[in-house]
Amino acid sequence: MNQDCTPAPAQDDAALRDAILSKMIYDVGGREERASPRDWFLASTLAARDGIVDRWRRSNNEVASSGRKQVCYLSLEFLIGRLLSDALGNLGMTEQMRRVLHGLGADLEEVFAQEPDAALGNGGLGRLAACFMESMASLSVPAIGYGIRYENGLFRQLIRDGQQQEVPEDWLSLGNPWEFERSGITYDIGFGGHVTVGPDERMIWQPGEVVRAIAYDIPVVGWRGRWVNTLRLWSARATDPLRLDAFNSGDHVGALAGRVKAEAISRVLYPGDESPAGQELRLRQEYFFASASLQDLIRRHLRLHGDLSTLPEKYSVQLNDTHPAIGVAELMRLLVDVHGMDWDEAWEIGRATFSYTNHTLMPEALESWPVSLMERLLPRNMQIIYMINARHLEAARAAGASDSLLSAASLIDEHHGRRVRMGHLAFIGSHKVNGVSALHTGLMKSTVFAELDRVCPGRITNKTNGITFRRWLLRANAPLTRLITDTIGPRVLDDPERLADLIPHARDAGFQESFARQRLEAKQNLARIVHLRTGVQIDPHALFDVQIKRIHEYKRQLLNILHTVALYNAMRAQPMGNWVPRVKLFAGKAAPSYHRAKLIIRLANDVARVVNRDPTVRNLLKVVFLPNYNVTLAENIIPAADLSEQISTAGLEASGTGNMKFALNGALTIGTMDGANIEISERVGLENIFIFGLDASVAVPLRRDGFDARAAVAASDELDAALDAIASGVFSPEEPDRYKGLVEALLARDDFLVTADFDSYLRTQRQVASRWQHPADWWRSAVLNTANVGWFSSDRTIRDYAEEIWRVPAGLATPPG
Ligand SMILES: *Cc1c(COP(=O)(O)O)cnc(C)c1O
């Protein structure tokens, strides 16, 4: 069996070779004898793409002829990463491509490495959208992902003198062989201007500015190549002609200003994670992509079905967080103003079409826009929002809602300078609203949406997140995949719940040894990457203790750093103690304006510098901060992790998906009872996960009422010493006060309960070390993690959405052709 574990590819080697050479000559314009790895990347991608396009056309024809319902997944972010290895893997072509390229003198891994990592997202939310796109294709759920074709995705992170620097990532600068520009698919998007009443009482919006959206399509191939969906990304083009008179008279800037402003919409991804950007350009982005996507959907629906009253039978529109929520008002505008539909019918159609996924409960992360900005930028949409709100509040009042309930349920927040609550708009415009883990959904009902849940009972439902196992196991960890299929057979590749067949092998010494051996290989690979990128030598036999994710106070990298310092202190005090050698590995980006998060990055780097130079702990502790965390780096780190740090303040991580990737690959989790950690613990068993800290029922009220960090520090010698070392400049001798403010702020107001959870974390870390000292126990737990997390496949999540929210059939289609 080849590595793809799939039937023989459609094409024989000679045909693939000819196809690649033909692409090399006619499309790349290269010469095989002088071709660079990038030329080979282009030629092999284009060759593979032809086969994908054939399947894509079949899928599209099938949808058009059957009239099947389609899902539109609206997301401002798609953190897709590299696509070639994914596409080849799903087509069962990886080994064939390796062979053929080898015959041509090229190396497949080097070819893979040429592809830029498409980072059109910040973190978990964008990666979820990418996993969902892959799962929808794999389950033959007809779907279009709608987003923005950012010219610059998430910034590239450099670490200079221990500090984050942001440089633009221009992933498109050398062209993108996956995308098709659809110059015939364009929509005009208006901004500003004013609204008048037409002769037939219809409202007429005359925008002051019009920007054109142009579609770029990327095919998304499902598992075994049975189905191909579309990721449609919008690019902004100016509509006003270049002002030649101004240009010729020498005012080059003035001549171009309008165009620059229009095209800025698809220029950059906002780099904030869990914090709304709040700027006008962001609202322009949101409206631009929501309007273009809905206009596209209406046009296709009219072409295929002719009648807008059947829209919800043919389309389900999923709003990934509130970023596309303006679409609720925009669909009303399109149906009522443009297509002349009656308001009540349009509202029912919209609600039956939309559903909304909430991703955060943190009040500071809930999106809202000033009414004044909305009125200026989207005057007609603002009128519609008022109208929606009036009817919504009227219905609630008629049902007996009190004034305080009405004020909390209103789309307009009157307390903070009049703002539109986008979560509320998405909620009332949708027939289903989902949270992303059981805990998070429960908290949604009792906190942010408590009032709306009373006004619209039964709308909130849970859909625990998932990850695509094709990328996060089959591709990221081919050796483990091979071990699994050799042990329990290849059917697990199509049915992840079959991983449970590994359970009987968990105690088997031979199996444990194979499991540990493949792990060692992955750790050697990571050690090479760490050395290459940071110059630090790490021992692959040490315990790899890994925290990789966006840097955010609620994710509590600081807690991990405090443990690192406490461990360092303890090791120095007793260098001959019975220590487990550890590598503490961090990676993650901070939003450029999030100063405290950037300071935490600097602290991790400063601690790394001091610890790694200290001969006393040379063979015991290493600290690494790997720069520029992205999907590709995650794929290299996760298979090599022994311990997965999932240590957010309970109640604040909506789900997490990093936690699932690690457990699937056999890392043990140290974590709080937060997000999906809870459901992971239920499945792997409490004896195979290290749970610590306050749970949400305690943490949520404690955060609200505040607590005394100084008392917690006074009660813990280790914590006191660690904070003291940081505050007094042990890790920043050239600037001893560098972290004084950070420590003082923590003591004055520990919003994320770092000091409250420290002792429990420290004790639990000691249990981790003692389990590591009993390899049979450790590896048994590791195998049981892999064996018990089949449920976290995004195929399961998508099946649940398909059945309960979208009401579309999900399953495996018969192979095409
Ligand atoms: C999975 C993933 C995330 C989300 O990680 P969490 O630990 O759930 O926050 C973020 N970024 C990348 C690149 C990922 O692959």
Side-chain angles (χ1 to χ4, degrees):
M1 193 170 18
N2 67 35
Q3 190 194 316
D4 306 309
C5 309
T6 49
Q11 211 174 13
D12 66 24
D13 285 13
L16 179 60
R17 184 177 191 279
D18 290 348
I20 293 172
L21 286 175
S22 152
K23 297 294 181 190
M24 178 65 84
I25 295 165
Y26 296 106
D27 295 81
V28 182
R31 300 177 67 105
E32 62 189 279
E33 65 280 9
R34 272 192 258 134
S36 67
R38 174 152 179 101
D39 294 339
W40 287 118
F41 160 69
L42 288 174
S44 48
T45 298
L46 293 172
R49 198 182 77 169
D50 284 354
I52 294 170
V53 169
D54 290 337
R55 294 159 196 260
W56 201 9
R57 287 162 56 92
R58 279 196 290 264
S59 297
N60 287 336
N61 289 340
E62 203 272 329
V63 177
S65 62
S66 69
R68 283 170 70 187
K69 190 172 183 179
Q70 268 185 296
V71 175
C72 301
Y73 196 84
L74 265 60
S75 180
L76 210 45
E77 303 191 5
F78 287 92
L79 188 49
I80 46 189
R82 290 176 176 158
L83 292 179
L84 179 59
S85 61
D86 220 38
L88 292 179
N90 277 5
L91 292 169
M93 279 178 64
T94 309
E95 292 314 307
Q96 184 189 28
M97 187 63 90
R98 191 187 307 280
R99 226 172 23 242
V100 169
L101 282 177
H102 184 77
L104 290 165
D107 173 64
L108 181 65
E109 299 303 323
E110 199 184 350
V111 166
F112 282 159
Q114 301 307 308
E115 184 170 3
D117 186 294
L120 309 185
N122 277 286
L125 176 150
R127 185 53 233 172
L128 184 77
C131 282
F132 279 7
M133 287 305 295
E134 200 272 356
S135 273
M136 287 190 280
S138 291
L139 298 177
S140 309
V141 171
I144 309 182
Y146 281 113
I148 291 181
R149 179 180 177 271
Y150 301 106
E151 274 164 59
N152 295 111
L154 188 58
F155 63 87
R156 193 149 59 85
Q157 179 194 54
L158 304 179
I159 301 293
R160 288 283 175 270
D161 299 325
Q163 299 182 76
Q164 169 173 299
Q165 276 181 12
E166 303 95 26
V167 293
E169 182 79 280
D170 43 0
W171 69 298
L172 291 171
S173 63
L174 296 171
N176 176 6
W178 291 110
E179 68 181 11
F180 292 83
E181 181 182 313
R182 306 290 191 205
S183 51
I185 303 180
T186 68
Y187 299 95
D188 285 352
I189 314 297
F191 293 97
H194 55 272
V195 180
T196 53
V197 186
D200 53 355
E201 301 283 293
R202 273 208 220 176
M203 305 305 275
I204 300 169
W205 175 26
Q206 283 161 330
E209 180 194 353
V210 174
V211 178
R212 189 153 298 153
I214 300 182
Y216 284 75
D217 288 352
I218 296 175
V220 181
V221 198
W223 176 230
R224 299 199 190 280
R226 290 188 184 107
W227 190 266
V228 182
N229 279 326
T230 303
L231 176 59
R232 175 162 288 177
L233 303 178
W234 301 106
S235 183
R237 286 299 152 77
T239 50
D240 44 321
L242 179 65
R243 287 176 42 221
L244 262 187
D245 51 340
F247 198 87
N248 290 338
S249 68
D251 180 12
H252 302 159
V253 173
L256 290 167
R259 298 175 73 87
V260 169
K261 184 176 178 214
E263 294 176 4
I265 290 177
S266 55
R267 188 97 221 168
V268 285
L269 167 76
Y270 272 95
D273 179 70
E274 303 275 349
S275 59
Q279 284 104 340
E280 180 172 333
L281 178 59
R282 171 70 165 211
L283 182 57
R284 285 164 67 89
Q285 289 185 332
E286 295 182 353
Y287 179 69
F288 168 80
F289 106 100
S291 177
S293 308
L294 293 171
Q295 291 188 55
D296 192 41
L297 179 147
I298 287 175
R299 181 163 83 176
R300 204 172 42 250
H301 184 77
L302 286 174
R303 180 163 51 80
L304 291 175
H305 309 288
D307 175 6
L308 286 173
S309 68
T310 58
L311 196 70
E313 292 160 36
K314 301 298 178 185
Y315 292 98
S316 247
V317 178
Q318 189 70 37
L319 306 173
N320 193 27
D321 212 322
T322 54
H323 315 143
I326 188 66
V328 169
E330 176 65 2
L331 184 64
M332 290 303 286
R333 188 186 72 80
L334 293 169
L335 293 180
V336 174
D337 294 1
V338 180
H339 293 278
M341 194 181 277
D342 164 69
W343 178 280
D344 291 325
E345 186 189 4
W347 181 248
E348 284 314 314
I349 284 175
R351 210 172 51 197
T353 305
F354 286 116
S355 42
Y356 154 54
T357 305
N358 172 273
H359 285 273
T360 181
L361 303 173
M362 289 196 291
E364 65 271 29
L366 293 173
E367 208 179 16
S368 69
W369 291 105
V371 168
S372 55
L373 174 61
M374 280 268 194
E375 272 169 345
R376 178 163 57 78
L377 202 63
L378 302 171
R380 178 57 185 147
N381 282 265
M382 191 61 230
Q383 289 179 344
I384 290 171
I385 289 170
Y386 276 133
M387 182 85 100
I388 294 171
N389 199 36
R391 292 175 183 232
H392 157 63
L393 294 179
E394 200 176 297
R397 190 182 323 237
S402 67
D403 281 353
S404 68
L405 181 61
L406 289 176
S407 135
S410 171
L411 295 189
I412 311 292
D413 180 352
E414 305 280 356
H415 302 298
H416 303 89
R418 304 206 75 222
R419 303 177 75 92
V420 182
R421 294 168 165 148
M422 301 308 280
H424 282 41
L425 179 60
F427 190 111
I428 70 163
S430 296
H431 65 289
K432 288 284 176 195
V433 176
N434 76 286
V436 290
S437 73
L439 173 72
H440 167 235
T441 301
L443 289 170
M444 264 168 75
K445 286 188 200 173
S446 60
T447 60
V448 258
F449 294 133
E451 292 81 10
L452 285 176
D453 187 41
R454 279 177 60 195
V455 177
C456 321
R459 204 169 286 189
I460 299 179
T461 177
N462 180 53
K463 295 285 166 276
T464 299
N465 282 167
I467 55 172
T468 166
F469 285 17
R470 268 78 59 181
R471 183 177 288 262
W472 295 109
L473 180 65
L474 276 56
R475 244 81 79 200
N477 203 343
L480 178 60
T481 306
R482 212 172 299 121
L483 174 63
I484 292 170
T485 52
D486 286 352
T487 309
I488 60 172
R491 283 175 64 189
V492 66
L493 300 174
D494 296 278
D495 178 6
E497 300 267 359
R498 279 184 174 264
L499 281 171
D501 295 348
L502 287 172
I503 294 171
H505 300 272
R507 284 178 187 281
D508 176 341
F511 185 74
Q512 286 188 1
E513 198 186 308
S514 313
F515 200 91
R517 192 167 343 106
Q518 71 75 25
R519 169 65 44 123
L520 186 62
E521 266 174 52
K523 291 170 77 172
Q524 284 161 341
N525 174 53
L526 179 58
R528 269 192 296 277
I529 293 174
V530 166
H531 186 239
L532 203 69
R533 308 231 174 128
T534 68
V536 178
Q537 299 268 12
I538 57 174
D539 176 6
H541 296 278
L543 189 164
F544 281 15
D545 174 344
V546 179
Q547 186 172 23
I548 52 171
K549 49 183 77 235
R550 284 301 290 249
I551 310 294
H552 206 295
E553 286 167 281
Y554 87 84
K555 290 178 182 279
R556 296 201 295 191
Q557 281 89 0
L558 187 55
L559 179 60
N560 191 352
I561 296 171
L562 286 170
H563 171 247
T564 307
V565 172
L567 192 61
Y568 175 55
N569 287 342
M571 285 171 167
R572 276 201 307 172
Q574 279 187 294
M576 305 311 283
N578 179 26
W579 298 108
V580 166
R582 269 200 212 225
V583 175
K584 282 275 190 183
L585 200 148
F586 297 87
K589 295 174 183 174
S593 60
Y594 190 171
H595 298 294
R596 193 167 295 172
K598 290 173 92 168
L599 193 58
I600 290 169
I601 291 179
R602 189 171 198 189
L603 176 59
N605 280 281
D606 277 345
V607 169
R609 183 185 50 165
V610 169
V611 168
N612 297 345
R613 278 183 194 163
D614 186 339
T616 343
V617 299
R618 180 181 298 138
N619 300 313
L620 299 178
L621 184 62
K622 283 280 184 304
V623 184
V624 173
F625 189 98
L626 264 175
N628 201 34
Y629 180 53
N630 61 17
V631 173
T632 304
L633 195 58
E635 288 166 0
N636 281 296
I637 294 173
I638 289 167
D642 297 306
L643 187 66
S644 156
E645 297 269 358
Q646 307 299 338
I647 60 177
S648 51
T649 314
L652 294 185
E653 187 73 271
S655 164
T657 49
N659 45 7
M660 302 168 189
K661 300 167 195 166
F662 283 101
L664 177 62
N665 281 276
L668 274 55
T669 302
I670 183 166
T672 45
M673 276 298 195
D674 199 15
N677 293 354
I678 298 175
E679 288 152 88
I680 292 175
S681 77
E682 287 164 3
R683 284 177 172 80
V684 305
L686 281 172
E687 62 288 6
N688 299 308
I689 187 168
F690 298 96
I691 296 291
F692 73 95
L694 302 172
D695 63 25
S697 66
V698 182
V700 172
L702 196 59
R703 284 191 74 223
R704 190 186 51 222
D705 304 338
F707 92 109
D708 186 356
R710 290 180 201 277
V713 176
S716 166
D717 292 344
E718 287 96 339
L719 178 56
D720 191 28
L723 285 171
D724 192 53
I726 292 169
S728 66
V730 168
F731 303 101
S732 54
E734 68 281 20
E735 189 192 342
D737 285 349
R738 185 174 291 156
Y739 301 108
K740 209 167 161 204
L742 182 72
V743 171
E744 273 166 9
L746 182 74
L747 295 176
R749 195 181 154 158
D750 182 3
D751 258 339
F752 299 96
L753 308 182
V754 171
T755 58
D757 275 345
F758 180 83
D759 265 5
S760 171
Y761 182 54
L762 186 71
R763 261 182 277 122
T764 309
Q765 284 283 16
R766 293 200 186 109
Q767 292 169 19
V768 170
S770 54
R771 178 86 52 98
W772 183 259
Q773 286 171 322
H774 297 92
D777 294 346
W778 183 277
W779 294 114
R780 179 172 169 276
S781 286
V783 174
L784 288 174
N785 268 265
T786 302
N788 285 301
V789 295
W791 189 78
F792 295 96
S793 160
S794 46
D795 295 356
R796 184 269 314 156
T797 315
I798 288 298
R799 276 208 184 85
D800 285 355
Y801 276 90
E803 202 170 292
E804 194 203 324
I805 299 181
W806 304 330
R807 303 197 168 276
V808 298
L812 298 174
T814 46

